[in-house]
Amino acid sequence: MSKKVLITGGAGFIGSHVIRLFVNTYPDYQIINLDNLTYAGNLLNLKDVENKNNYRFIKGDITDVTFIEELFQSERPDSIIHLAAESHVDRSIANPLAFAQTNIIGTIVLLNAFKNLWSENWDEKLFYHVSTDEVYGSLGSEGLFVESTSYSPNSPYSASKASSDHFVRAYGETYNLPYVISNCSNNYGPYQFPEKLIPLFINNIIQQKPLPVYGDGNFIRDWLYVLDHAIAIEMIFHHGKKQETYNIGGFNEWKNIDLVQLLCKQMDIKLNRSPGNSEQLITYIKDRPGHDLRYAIDATKINLELGWSPSVTFEDGLSNTIDWYLKHEDWLHKVTSGDYLNFYAKQYH
Ligand code: NAD
Ligand code: TYD
């Protein structure tokens, strides 16, 4: 059956993979990419699909009420996949208000426009909200986040995402708006902006710049290859139960410092540098305030209900990712000019 799917944040890292998957898999769907092209959004990420008949890009801000209401009334999307967000924890510490504006207000503006458009005529409609495991806060050395874990966000980023999740649920309860939410662990892969750990460190190793490890480097994240996230989103979109949440994760926990050492080893080989060359760049710096110790997802529900599990091993995913960045140094140069240099200077002086 044909659908008109509005995907927000499609020019960003995960959004571009979701757009590519939907455009290539569903020629009968109309896919609209709504993105404001902030520093994190880049149409270069979608060069290979930009001329497809089932794809269109619209530039616009999800916090602009008039624009969004008019867009919804004219385009009449039956489904939304909402990824647009401010997404970097360190930026949220420097500027929390921008995160409240985009992540909370922007989500409410979209929910409201969707409600106003369909006036509770909800047949075959869906609002899919893409969220993060960071809403659950920090784990100690034991345990995993499950869908019923209570929210306990610690950063302005995770607090803003938690708030947006609550609003989505509240629209479901109050107006019967059909929704699904997924909360995913840390993603990595091609097209990730080089402010997040893995692409930042790849870029710095290429340039032989210091690798700024926060605190003692013993923080733990659960890493998932971005394509596996996009596949999970596609499965939840079509087969997920309405008004439910799904956790998505890689069952792949790494201490930051172990991951950085692995990255250094792989890059020395790929760059024909002598063993140990990149590790010398590791520099321990002041810890991030409110730094969550450990995230780890229990992805049993999506596995049992929808048959999803990660398809890419971490070793292969990391190797593909490094190869992609080495082959796309032009992309790295383009996205790391201008504003990036100011951000970098402020963040790491
Ligand atoms: P990203 O920062 O790479 O991309 C965000 C996109 O949103 C950009 O294209 C940007 O231009 C757009 N955008 C920002 N503000 C906007 C606005 N006001 N109006 C319209 N567009 C706007 O983020 P990402 O890493 O691709 O994350 C996408 C979503 O997935 C986010 O909601 C994030 O919270 C969630 N998520 C990310 C991860 C991760 O590891 N990156 C993990 C779990 C969940
Ligand atoms: P990040 O990629 O920012 O994702 P998140 O904070 O959303 O998990 O960071 C991943 C981990 O790497 C986190 O524990 C913080 C750490 N980190 C550093 O040690 N140095 C850095 O320069 C960055 C960006 C992150």
Side-chain angles (χ1 to χ4, degrees):
M1 204 185 92
S2 178
K3 286 182 182 296
K4 193 164 194 179
V5 189
L6 181 84
I7 301 183
T8 71
F13 166 48
I14 300 169
S16 61
H17 289 276
V18 173
I19 296 258
R20 184 172 297 104
L21 183 66
F22 273 74
V23 166
N24 289 330
T25 315
Y26 299 101
D28 292 347
Y29 289 9
Q30 291 182 59
I31 309 293
I32 301 173
N33 174 12
L34 170 66
D35 197 297
N36 202 22
L37 301 182
T38 69
Y39 77 93
N42 196 327
L43 291 178
L44 285 176
N45 301 359
L46 290 163
K47 271 268 158 235
D48 52 329
V49 294
E50 69 184 7
N51 294 322
K52 299 260 179 166
N53 291 333
N54 58 342
Y55 170 75
R56 258 182 314 137
F57 170 69
I58 296 175
K59 185 173 184 315
D61 186 341
I62 58 165
T63 68
D64 182 337
V65 178
T66 311
F67 166 76
I68 293 293
E69 287 288 340
E70 283 174 9
L71 179 76
F72 275 49
Q73 294 297 332
S74 60
E75 293 291 348
R76 306 185 69 74
D78 44 63
S79 321
I80 313 293
I81 304 178
H82 175 36
L83 296 111
E86 289 290 341
S87 68
H88 187 39
V89 172
D90 292 325
R91 288 186 189 250
S92 82
I93 294 167
N95 186 6
L97 206 52
F99 282 67
Q101 192 66 27
T102 295
N103 299 358
I104 306 174
I105 303 295
T107 301
I108 302 170
V109 170
L110 293 170
L111 286 165
N112 231 29
F114 201 52
K115 173 176 89 64
N116 292 342
L117 171 62
W118 295 116
S119 315
E120 305 206 16
N121 174 12
W122 292 128
D123 267 5
E124 303 295 332
K125 312 294 186 306
L126 181 66
F127 191 104
Y128 184 155
H129 180 59
V130 176
S131 192
T132 167
D133 62 354
E134 302 192 25
V135 298
Y136 298 122
S138 183
L139 290 164
S141 53
E142 297 287 311
L144 299 170
F145 296 134
V146 292
E147 285 79 1
S148 56
T149 302
S150 52
Y151 278 28
S152 184
N154 293 316
S155 72
Y157 165 63
S158 54
S160 67
K161 291 296 293 187
S163 174
S164 65
D165 294 8
H166 291 321
F167 270 99
V168 174
R169 275 201 197 89
Y171 270 70
E173 290 296 317
T174 310
Y175 307 108
N176 297 319
L177 181 141
Y179 72 86
V180 279
I181 299 175
S182 57
N183 296 82
C184 188
S185 62
N186 286 59
N187 285 213
Y188 70 99
Y191 298 108
Q192 187 168 30
F193 192 78
E195 63 186 355
K196 308 276 168 64
L197 181 74
I198 290 179
L200 174 74
F201 280 30
I202 291 174
N203 190 29
N204 284 13
I205 291 172
I206 294 172
Q207 296 182 47
Q208 303 219 285
K209 280 169 59 178
L211 306 177
V213 172
Y214 294 154
D216 58 10
N218 286 327
F219 300 87
I220 294 171
R221 297 292 182 265
D222 172 359
W223 294 92
L224 180 69
Y225 193 62
V226 62
L227 196 57
D228 276 325
H229 188 188
I231 292 168
I233 289 174
E234 189 270 331
M235 287 172 129
I236 293 169
F237 177 82
H238 289 104
H239 308 295
K241 285 196 193 128
K242 303 244 167 88
Q243 324 304 77
E244 293 219 4
T245 287
Y246 291 86
N247 279 354
I248 309 169
F251 289 111
N252 177 42
E253 291 181 52
W254 283 81
K255 227 180 237 181
N256 289 346
I257 190 63
D258 295 341
L259 191 163
V260 170
Q261 280 167 350
L262 175 68
L263 186 64
C264 287
K265 284 198 184 77
Q266 288 205 2
M267 292 219 42
D268 282 345
I269 296 167
K270 288 180 194 283
L271 290 166
N272 284 321
R273 291 181 184 163
S274 53
N277 184 298
S278 301
E279 267 194 52
Q280 291 170 18
L281 300 170
I282 294 175
T283 310
Y284 291 93
I285 64 165
K286 191 166 167 280
D287 203 1
R288 170 190 278 175
H291 198 167
D292 288 331
L293 177 67
R294 176 170 166 256
Y295 303 143
I297 280 276
D298 181 347
T300 304
K301 177 177 172 179
I302 183 172
N303 177 256
L304 291 181
E305 277 189 23
L306 306 182
W308 177 90
S309 57
S311 65
V312 179
T313 64
F314 191 58
E315 205 179 34
D316 287 350
L318 194 62
S319 175
N320 291 346
T321 303
I322 298 170
D323 289 345
W324 186 88
Y325 281 93
L326 291 176
K327 268 200 216 110
H328 293 82
E329 284 197 52
D330 50 335
W331 182 91
L332 263 177
H333 285 307
K334 279 192 188 118
V335 303
T336 54
S337 56
D339 186 47
Y340 179 83
L341 299 174
N342 298 331
F343 159 76
Y344 199 92
K346 268 202 204 125
Q347 180 65 22
Y348 299 105
H349 11 271

